[in-house]
Amino acid sequence: LEEEERRKKEEEERLRKEELARREKEEKQREFRETIRVYNGDLKDILVKVEAGDWQNWELGREKSLDLLKRAQTEADAEVRRITKLHNLSKVHEVERDMKRPQETLDMMIQVIADYTLLWEMVGRFDEFKSGIQKMNWSDLDGPQLEEDARNMLAKCKKLPKSTKKSEAFKGIDVLCKEFFIAAPLAGQLHSDTMRRRHW
């Protein structure tokens, strides 16, 4: 009888400890879920700023825009390190699924930065391309090649990310590429031997 009583008490103690452990685990999960919720709110605030970045304005120019985008990328890199730590802790607390929203928010932020970086790098390539042509001797100009280059430049402009296409920055590079595409055949015609014989 004493043995049975002892076993009963041991079982009750075991169940009590299990219940305490379960409650403690649930409390820690609640606390960590709140940490994740607050963090996602912080990321959303950053995302709003990124989506309204001054790099969307054509007038800001390539150099300043890329500088701002570089700073934004540095901030995003810091958030990547931070979210990686939270991912690891979420596994400890068995709440990995709760990290889905902050990860999506951060991914959106990184994508916006990458899209506008791509746009302004395209502006840089266009400027270099145009500058190279302007420095070229008229006699060295290859009309058909110029038209082909203008066509390729316009095609690259059209392939810029959809997220950038409502911005003034996109409209700026789009106009430059289209104007050059229109002007290239005219330059080629002026350079041709036929045109030279007629007008020169």
Side-chain angles (χ1 to χ4, degrees):
L1 192 63
E2 287 181 9
E3 181 64 22
E4 188 176 329
E5 187 67 25
R6 185 182 64 79
R7 286 179 182 176
K8 185 179 177 182
K9 285 182 179 180
E10 285 177 354
E11 180 63 14
E12 286 175 352
E13 181 62 17
R14 185 185 67 80
L15 291 172
R16 187 186 69 80
K17 287 180 179 179
E18 283 183 359
E19 179 62 17
L20 283 172
R22 184 187 66 78
R23 288 180 182 178
E24 186 178 342
K25 178 182 176 182
E26 287 178 353
E27 181 59 30
K28 286 181 178 179
Q29 284 178 330
R30 276 193 294 272
E31 289 175 0
F32 196 72
R33 282 193 172 105
E34 178 61 15
T35 299
I36 294 171
R37 188 192 67 78
V38 170
Y39 177 59
N40 190 45
D42 293 343
L43 283 179
K44 283 183 176 180
D45 290 342
I46 299 171
L47 177 60
V48 168
K49 292 177 185 176
V50 167
E51 289 179 330
D54 286 341
W55 48 73
Q56 295 183 48
N57 301 321
W58 179 247
E59 296 302 320
L60 187 65
R62 180 177 64 88
E63 194 173 318
K64 287 182 180 178
S65 293
L66 285 173
D67 183 55
L68 287 177
L69 285 160
K70 188 175 180 181
R71 290 184 206 173
Q73 185 59 57
T74 299
E75 187 174 0
D77 291 342
E79 294 305 331
V80 168
R81 292 190 291 273
R82 187 177 172 190
I83 206 171
T84 299
K85 290 177 182 178
L86 286 175
H87 270 299
N88 291 335
L89 287 171
S90 73
K91 291 175 184 176
V92 173
H93 294 292
E94 298 177 8
V95 291
E96 299 100 314
R97 290 172 62 183
D98 292 73
M99 289 299 298
K100 184 180 178 183
R101 285 184 181 176
Q103 186 63 61
E104 287 174 349
T105 306
L106 181 56
D107 289 345
M108 287 171 66
M109 183 189 352
I110 291 169
Q111 192 60 55
V112 171
I113 295 166
D115 288 351
Y116 278 96
T117 299
L118 198 65
L119 184 151
W120 283 106
E121 286 175 347
M122 166 84 186
V123 173
R125 285 193 296 275
F126 180 87
D127 288 345
E128 288 173 8
F129 171 64
K130 190 175 178 182
S131 177
I133 292 168
Q134 289 171 339
K135 291 175 184 175
M136 192 181 293
N137 290 327
W138 184 250
S139 58
D140 295 331
L141 186 68
D142 183 340
Q145 184 60 52
L146 185 64
E147 288 185 50
E148 182 64 24
D149 290 342
R151 190 177 295 109
N152 289 338
M153 196 64 70
L154 184 61
K156 287 176 182 177
C157 186
K158 287 180 178 178
K159 288 180 181 177
L160 284 169
K162 188 177 179 181
S163 63
T164 66
K165 292 191 175 179
K166 289 183 179 179
S167 70
E168 292 301 315
F170 175 80
K171 290 173 187 174
I173 184 61
D174 188 51
V175 166
L176 288 182
C177 288
K178 285 175 178 174
E179 286 178 348
F180 191 80
F181 180 71
I182 293 167
L186 300 175
Q189 288 169 16
L190 286 171
H191 189 264
S192 71
D193 291 337
T194 307
M195 188 67 74
R196 186 180 299 164
R197 281 195 296 271
R198 283 185 194 170
H199 299 283
W200 296 10

